[in-house]
């Protein structure tokens, strides 16, 4: 990708671990380190974009756009497993592109809510299928449950903040979160059984 050539002054050192390059960017704003890190996974990012966007030109644009997201976000968030984190950034970016002229918005749940970060694989299909099932189940929730679940898990709002935003009492907020989470787990289980042919 030519846009990284303008950033890179020398060939990246493949012996440096991902964590070293992440820290170099987070601590000192070393854009070279971030570019070197991204280059390691650019082909995989491009492949994932093609799967979602089904257009090589749009996918090349997405690869550049995702790097801009990294420039903004890597310094702001704790990134422990860069490859797994980059997978979610790429997936969400592509889904946002697909929905940019239509309905809905991307919902990013914590890894502990959806799946474990152990054994991450950028070009694997299980995380993608899980995320797509989760979105369908989220859309099926009653509106009040869906609203508070999104605020709680995506926006990291506490019960009091959600109550202030929605005009609901604390107990009602807690009830919606508990019921919404239970309904999502039930829905996710049902969809898994259907996919495996149990139902």
């Amino acid at each position: 990708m030519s846009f990284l050539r303008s950033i890179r002054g020398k060939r990246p050192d493949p012996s440096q671990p991902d964590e070293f390059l992440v820290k170099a960017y987070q601590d000192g704003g070393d854009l070279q380190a971030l570019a070197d890190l991204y280059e390691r996974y650019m082909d995989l990012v491009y492949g994932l974009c093609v799967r979602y966007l089904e257009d090589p030109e749009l996918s090349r644009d997405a690869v550049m756009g995702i790097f801009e997201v990294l420039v903004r976000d890597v310094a702001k968030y704790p990134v422990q497993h860069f490859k797994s984190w980059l997978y979610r950034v790429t997936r969400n970016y592509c889904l946002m592109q697909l929905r940019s002229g239509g309905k809905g918005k991307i919902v990013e749940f914590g890894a502990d809510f959806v799946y474990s970060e152990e054994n991450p694989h950028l070009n694997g299909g299980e995380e993608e299928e899980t995320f797509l099932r989760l979105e369908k189940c989220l859309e099926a929730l009653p509106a009040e449950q869906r609203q508070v679940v999104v605020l709680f898990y995506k926006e990291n709002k506490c019960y009091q903040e959600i109550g202030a935003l929605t005009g609901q009492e604390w107990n009602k907020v807690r009830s919606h979160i508990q019921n919404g989470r239970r309904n999502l787990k039930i829905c996710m289980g049902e969809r898994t059984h259907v996919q495996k042919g149990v139902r």
Side-chain angles (χ1 to χ4, degrees), residues 26-88:
Q26 290 178 333
D27 290 351
D30 186 349
L31 191 60
Q32 178 74 54
L34 185 62
D36 289 350
L37 177 60
Y38 190 48
E39 186 182 16
R40 294 178 179 178
Y41 300 107
M42 231 173 6
D43 289 342
L44 295 177
V45 168
Y46 176 74
L48 185 59
C49 290
V50 169
R51 287 175 59 191
Y52 274 104
L53 304 178
E54 299 181 341
D55 183 296
E57 188 64 33
L58 289 178
S59 297
R60 283 191 287 271
D61 291 343
V63 171
M64 292 187 286
I66 289 165
F67 183 71
E68 294 174 1
V69 173
L70 300 186
V71 170
R72 181 192 68 205
D73 287 353
V74 169
K76 293 175 13 181
Y77 300 106
V79 180
Q80 295 181 343
H81 303 286
F82 180 78
K83 187 176 180 181
S84 178
W85 186 82
L86 179 60
Y87 171 88
R88 292 194 298 277

Side-chain angles (χ1 to χ4, degrees), residues 110-123:
D112 59 335
F113 184 73
V114 183
Y115 59 87
S116 171
E117 285 194 343
E118 294 301 316
N119 194 27
H121 42 85
L122 185 63
N123 57 344

Side-chain angles (χ1 to χ4, degrees), residues 89-107:
V89 170
T90 302
R91 177 197 60 199
N92 281 3
Y93 186 95
C94 290
L95 289 173
M96 187 69 76
Q97 295 303 304
L98 290 172
R99 295 181 174 193
S100 59
K103 56 185 178 180
K105 65 178 180 179
I106 304 306
V107 178

